[in-house]
Amino acid sequence: MATPAQILICHFLWPAMQEASRKAGTRGKAAATKQAQRGSSNVFSMFEQAQIQEFKEAFSCIDQNRDGIICKSDLRETYSQLGKVSVPDEELDAMLQEGKGPINFTVFLTLFGEKLNGTDPEEAILSAFRVFDPSGKGVVSKEGFKQLLLTQADKFSQAEVEQMFSLTPVDLAGDIDYKSLCYIITHGDEKEE
């Protein structure tokens, strides 16, 4: 059974990684440098409209009481829906502290922008995959990961899963080499350049 953290990663991180992979394979190095230089002066300029819409959907899933602000009760309810009913207050408080104030959509987007456009995004993505790799081998089961995507949180369709796996390096044992995948996401697929 997947942990709530794994489910949250599947639900929120994988679509962003998939989009980053598509972009990394199609844009040149100059465009990537220009985007990095923009910084966070306007958080909405850091993302394309489709990405902003995905973040709005994620925000709406978390904002359980629909007041436009993510609060502790929203986080608690979100975790509860994912099967984790006893989240310590300290953990929820720590999540809310990252916003340094009320977390509305703009703050939410800024937090993701800082995390996705940080100094080492490849390491952040690797850290997310390590949740699925407790043995530290650098691989995760394609079938196990596929089952999570098809059955947990915002379920993917079979077609979406197949599309996602089209760029994913899989070894003969059927495992995803997530280190290579992270490289493709952050640097682009050399076959496309």
Side-chain angles (χ1 to χ4, degrees), residues 1-10 78-80 82-85 87:
M1 184 66 173
T3 66
Q6 291 170 330
I7 293 168
L8 285 171
I9 289 168
C10 283
T78 300
Y79 271 109
S80 177
L82 296 171
K84 188 173 180 182
V85 292
V87 181

Side-chain angles (χ1 to χ4, degrees), residues 33-182:
T33 303
K34 183 178 177 185
Q35 182 179 6
Q37 289 172 344
R38 269 194 299 218
S40 60
S41 61
N42 180 354
V43 68
F44 291 94
S45 70
M46 295 168 57
F47 302 103
E48 292 182 2
Q49 276 304 116
Q51 290 174 303
I52 292 171
Q53 185 58 40
E54 287 178 12
F55 285 120
K56 281 182 183 176
E57 291 171 17
F59 182 85
S60 294
C61 289
I62 298 169
D63 183 20
Q64 297 287 316
N65 62 10
R66 305 290 184 246
D67 66 352
I69 303 289
I70 294 176
C71 61
K72 190 186 293 190
S73 64
D74 292 329
L75 292 175
R76 188 173 304 286
E77 180 62 27
T78 300
Y79 271 109
S80 177
Q81 289 179 0
L82 296 171
K84 188 173 180 182
V85 292
S86 59
V87 181
D89 280 342
E90 298 79 27
E91 187 175 329
L92 298 175
D93 289 335
M95 293 170 89
L96 293 170
Q97 294 293 324
E98 288 188 46
K100 297 174 181 49
I103 301 178
N104 61 19
F105 179 69
T106 304
V107 173
F108 181 79
L109 194 60
T110 301
L111 290 171
F112 271 93
E114 289 171 355
K115 293 196 184 295
L116 293 175
N117 293 316
T119 57
D120 195 5
E122 187 170 1
E123 186 56 38
I125 296 169
L126 284 170
S127 294
F129 271 106
R130 286 185 190 116
V131 171
F132 297 97
D133 182 23
S135 63
K137 294 180 181 175
V139 296
V140 293
S141 165
K142 177 183 175 183
E143 286 306 311
F145 201 68
K146 181 178 179 178
Q147 280 306 109
L148 285 173
L149 294 172
L150 290 170
T151 62
Q152 303 293 322
D154 188 18
K155 298 176 181 105
F156 281 46
S157 70
Q158 185 68 36
E160 290 170 323
V161 170
E162 293 307 319
Q163 178 187 8
M164 181 189 64
F165 284 137
S166 67
L167 285 176
T168 305
V170 179
D171 65 18
L172 294 175
D175 293 326
I176 297 171
D177 176 357
Y178 65 82
K179 292 178 181 179
S180 294
L181 178 60
C182 289

